[in-house]
């Protein structure tokens, strides 16, 4: 029998090769052009689960992209861990900003560069390899179920129905997800909350057609100008969001909780240098850690209208558009916030334009417990693997399924993430450090060991 450390040492080249093969699939869920690649990726994941020793492996069709399921039930009286992850990735554009092609994984300076390296292929695949170790070395201490989906990056529209229809099959005692960040290899951490999301698209319409900007400009409202003004008015001079009622349900943290949160190591100068900015920005009276962890935000994700091609065209566009997302914190509700946005945006639209607000997907915020045995097991596992006790942090991103699991299956999640905030998720040159990948594989069996022990 090998220890996990020994097993990782003697198999690390293969662990990397397999991950590279997974990363070569352009499994972009946002673009239907990649449908075939999506299916190939799901099959690849299913094969790897089988090879590692999973039973009942199935590529489950949904109305959208398939969900890969697999399990190993060693003893129904033991606790069951459900591992969730996603094999779909974000689009890779703008392609010209990648130093090496997004779907040709390349190692530079100990880091794997590829779309999906950290989000989430590199992270969920650690679980497949940790499972392989546990199977081969008689170290599986719990039942395990895998559910790896293909629509996370587009809002998991078909996952809710799958969970509802498969409650018995998915039944478990704790969900483990590696799809978040930690502070660093020197300072492990566990995210204990995720923000929710309300996503809308707005359309501002003026005249019934594009107009000559000399003939009509100055006499007819320009939808692009109006849209810019409307968007600018959504934050006040303190960078508070101006939508009436927006903050009504926001859970405020106590002074002690805020103090604890701000104890996490964070170097603002390094942060600014990494991003190439001279100053940070955000809601008055909150720190950067708080602005990204415990406060709701509103961001424009895209804005367009009029002529954006080469050269100049003098035109007064008939329409202008924007995609706007709001990150939510407990106890905000995504449907309520979407409704408040719509009402407000329609109310502030001046009479010389029409606005249409269309909701996209949403998701609810969550906090995960820190007093559960699963959290304690994760703490112990990280402490043993990293020789340092992990600290709790609040994540800025969203994984809407976590709240849904809680509602449908009544189980809590542990966010056992090994990425770094600087991994360029959703950006060009996404990367995942080999050290984090291998350390993650090493940590996971320890979690299983401690979770089984503490469950007794
Ligand atoms: N893995 C991320 C979420 C994440 C990243 C959480 C970093 C914590 C730290 C996930 O794949 C993601 O990108 N989610 C989307 C939401 C989804 C509904 C499109 C997000 O956060 O924008
Ligand atoms: Mn992810
Ligand atoms: Mn993502």
């Amino acid at each position: 029998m090998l220890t996990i450390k020994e097993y990782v040492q003697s198999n690390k080249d293969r662990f990397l090769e397999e991950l590279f093969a997974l990363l070569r699939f352009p499994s972009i869920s946002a673009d239907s052009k990649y449908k075939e690649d999506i299916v190939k990726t799901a099959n690849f994941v299913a094969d790897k689960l089988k090879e590692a020793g999973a039973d009942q492996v199935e590529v489950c069709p949904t109305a959208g992209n398939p969900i890969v399921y697999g399990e190993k039930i060693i003893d129904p009286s033991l606790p069951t861990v459900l591992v969730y992850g996603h094999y779909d990735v974000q689009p890779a554009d703008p392609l010209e900003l990648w130093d090496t092609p997004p779907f040709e994984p390349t190692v530079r300076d100990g880091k794997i560069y590829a779309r999906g390296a950290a989000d989430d292929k590199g992270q969920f695949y650690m679980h497949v390899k940790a499972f392989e170790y546990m199977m081969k070395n008689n170290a599986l201490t719990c039942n395990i179920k895998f559910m790896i989906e293909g629509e996370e990056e587009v809002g998991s529209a078909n996952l809710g129905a799958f969970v509802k229809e498969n409650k018995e099959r998915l039944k478990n005692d704790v969900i483990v997800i590696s799809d978040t960040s930690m502070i660093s290899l020197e300072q492990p951490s566990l995210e204990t909350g995720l923000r929710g999301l309300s996503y809308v698209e707005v359309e501002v319409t003026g005249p019934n057609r594009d107009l000559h900007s000399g003939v009509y400009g100055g006499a007819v409202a320009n939808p692009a100008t109006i849209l810019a003004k409307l968007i600018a008015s959504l934050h006040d001079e303190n960078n508070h969001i101006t939508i009436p009622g927006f903050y009504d349900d926001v859970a405020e943290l106590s002074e002690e909780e805020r103090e604890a949160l701000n104890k996490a190591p964070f170097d603002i100068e390094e942060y600014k240098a990494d991003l190439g900015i001279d100053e940070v920005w955000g809601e008055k009276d909150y720190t950067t850690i708080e602005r990204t962890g415990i406060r709701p935000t509103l961001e424009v994700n895209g804005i367009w209208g009029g002529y954006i091609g080469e050269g100049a065209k003098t035109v007064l566009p008939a329409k202008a558009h924007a995609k706007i997302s709001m990150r939510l914190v407990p106890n905000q509700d995504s449907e309520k916030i979407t409704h408040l946005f719509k009402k407000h945006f329609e109310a502030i639209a001046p009479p010389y334009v029409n606005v249409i607000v269309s909701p996209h997907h949403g998701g609810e915020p969550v906090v995960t417990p820190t007093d559960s045995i699963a959290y304690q097991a994760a703490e112990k596992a990280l402490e043993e693997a990293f020789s340092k006790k992990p600290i709790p942090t609040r994540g800025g991103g969203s994984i809407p399924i976590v709240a849904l699991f809680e509602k449908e299956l009544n189980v809590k999640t542990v966010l056992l993430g090994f990425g770094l905030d600087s991994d360029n998720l959703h950006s060009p040159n996404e990367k995942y450090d080999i050290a984090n990948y291998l350390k993650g594989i090493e940590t996971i069996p320890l979690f299983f060991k401690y979770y089984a022990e503490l469950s007794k």
Side-chain angles (χ1 to χ4, degrees):
M1 293 294 135
L2 296 180
T3 66
I4 179 65
K5 254 192 162 64
E6 293 164 342
Y7 194 75
V8 169
Q9 260 319 310
S10 49
N11 289 284
K12 65 172 181 228
D13 292 341
R14 178 173 58 86
F15 288 180
L16 284 169
E17 276 315 315
E18 290 178 13
L19 174 57
F20 293 171
L22 176 59
L23 289 168
R24 285 190 193 103
F25 294 103
S27 49
I28 302 169
S29 49
D31 189 340
S32 56
K33 197 163 86 220
Y34 296 96
K35 202 90 200 161
E36 259 177 53
D37 297 291
I38 283 275
V39 174
K40 282 185 199 159
T41 317
N43 289 330
F44 178 91
V45 174
D47 288 345
K48 290 295 164 192
L49 278 175
K50 269 181 230 158
E51 276 170 38
D55 299 328
Q56 316 293 335
V57 175
E58 193 187 328
V59 176
C60 312
T62 72
N65 297 336
I67 293 167
V68 185
Y69 179 82
E71 64 178 36
K72 187 76 202 178
I73 308 297
I74 49 171
D75 176 353
S77 69
L78 286 171
T80 301
V81 176
L82 183 126
V83 175
Y84 162 88
H86 62 93
Y87 66 80
D88 67 317
V89 299
Q90 286 276 327
D93 60 281
L95 281 177
E96 67 278 10
L97 295 185
W98 285 77
D99 295 329
T100 49
F103 297 104
E104 290 174 26
T106 310
V107 175
R108 282 197 302 281
D109 199 17
K111 302 165 176 65
I112 307 159
Y113 286 87
R115 169 58 84 229
D119 187 9
D120 176 39
K121 288 173 173 171
Q123 293 218 60
F124 87 71
Y125 204 67
M126 300 181 309
H127 285 270
V128 182
K129 293 300 98 179
F131 171 60
E132 172 194 307
Y133 162 77
M134 293 189 284
M135 286 299 291
K136 285 208 171 131
N137 292 275
N138 200 19
L140 190 60
T141 52
C142 307
N143 302 310
I144 185 168
K145 294 179 175 176
F146 285 92
M147 178 179 148
I148 313 295
E149 73 147 319
E151 294 186 306
E152 196 276 344
E153 297 292 10
V154 288
S156 304
N158 297 295
L159 195 59
F162 182 81
V163 172
K164 279 188 194 130
E165 284 157 23
N166 289 276
K167 278 192 180 170
E168 204 41 50
R169 171 148 71 150
L170 298 175
K171 203 166 178 252
N172 67 82
D173 298 286
V174 67
I175 294 161
V176 177
I177 303 178
S178 296
D179 192 26
T180 51
S181 309
M182 65 193 310
I183 293 173
S184 68
L185 287 178
E186 290 70 46
Q187 178 56 71
S189 59
L190 282 159
E191 289 193 7
T192 60
L194 290 165
R195 291 193 288 182
L197 191 66
S198 157
Y199 204 120
V200 296
E201 187 161 330
V202 301
E203 181 182 279
V204 175
T205 308
N208 59 9
R209 58 190 187 276
D210 282 6
L211 302 173
H212 188 293
S213 67
V215 177
Y216 291 100
V220 175
N222 183 320
T225 311
I226 304 298
L227 175 60
K229 280 198 181 194
L230 292 177
I231 287 174
S233 79
L234 296 175
H235 290 98
D236 70 11
E237 65 284 5
N238 294 321
N239 298 325
H240 285 295
I241 294 156
T242 55
I243 300 167
F246 185 83
Y247 292 97
D248 282 2
D249 301 325
V250 169
E252 302 283 344
L253 270 66
S254 68
E255 277 313 310
E256 294 76 57
E257 287 173 309
R258 288 181 67 179
E259 221 170 277
L261 197 71
N262 284 298
K263 280 218 179 88
F266 177 72
D267 185 329
I268 192 93
E269 293 308 320
E270 233 174 71
Y271 184 83
K272 290 192 283 189
D274 176 47
L275 300 177
I277 54 173
D278 294 330
E279 273 312 324
V280 294
W281 177 95
E283 191 180 358
K284 194 166 173 257
D285 298 329
Y286 291 94
T287 64
T288 296
I289 287 184
E290 291 171 334
R291 287 168 179 169
T292 56
I294 57 162
R295 298 298 294 169
T297 57
L298 180 150
E299 295 299 329
V300 177
N301 299 273
I303 179 165
W304 69 100
Y307 183 69
I308 53 167
E310 198 184 322
K313 178 188 179 193
T314 47
V315 64
L316 193 164
K319 283 178 195 291
H321 312 251
K323 291 185 194 275
I324 298 173
S325 66
M326 290 156 279
R327 296 280 166 177
L328 312 178
V329 299
N331 301 311
Q332 287 176 297
D333 175 271
S334 68
E335 272 184 37
K336 181 168 169 192
I337 293 296
T338 299
H339 175 73
L340 289 178
F341 178 95
K342 188 171 155 72
K343 218 170 73 182
H344 177 64
F345 206 77
E346 286 167 356
I348 60 174
Y352 25 84
V353 292
N354 278 314
V355 302
I356 299 173
V357 177
S358 324
H360 282 282
H361 55 74
E364 306 312 323
V366 276
V367 279
T368 60
T370 52
D371 57 358
S372 66
I373 55 170
Y375 186 84
Q376 286 159 19
E379 262 185 333
K380 279 172 81 111
L382 284 165
E383 183 168 3
E384 187 170 326
F386 291 78
S387 310
K388 185 146 190 198
K389 198 175 159 137
I391 55 175
T393 61
R394 287 288 199 96
S398 308
I399 309 178
I401 186 63
V402 178
L404 207 130
F405 276 142
E406 236 182 86
K407 193 171 134 220
E408 295 299 332
L409 303 174
N410 196 24
V411 273
K412 304 276 184 191
T413 294
V414 174
L415 297 165
L416 189 58
F418 294 91
L420 302 175
D421 277 344
S422 54
D423 281 341
N424 295 326
L425 309 183
H426 300 196
S427 303
N429 301 309
E430 178 177 349
K431 58 97 174 153
Y432 192 34
D433 290 45
I434 293 176
N436 291 53
Y437 177 59
L438 299 178
K439 214 59 183 167
I441 300 174
E442 215 180 290
T443 307
I444 292 162
L446 295 169
F447 168 80
F448 277 79
K449 177 179 131 190
Y450 290 123
Y451 183 60
E453 269 178 33
L454 292 168
S455 296
K456 276 187 191 135

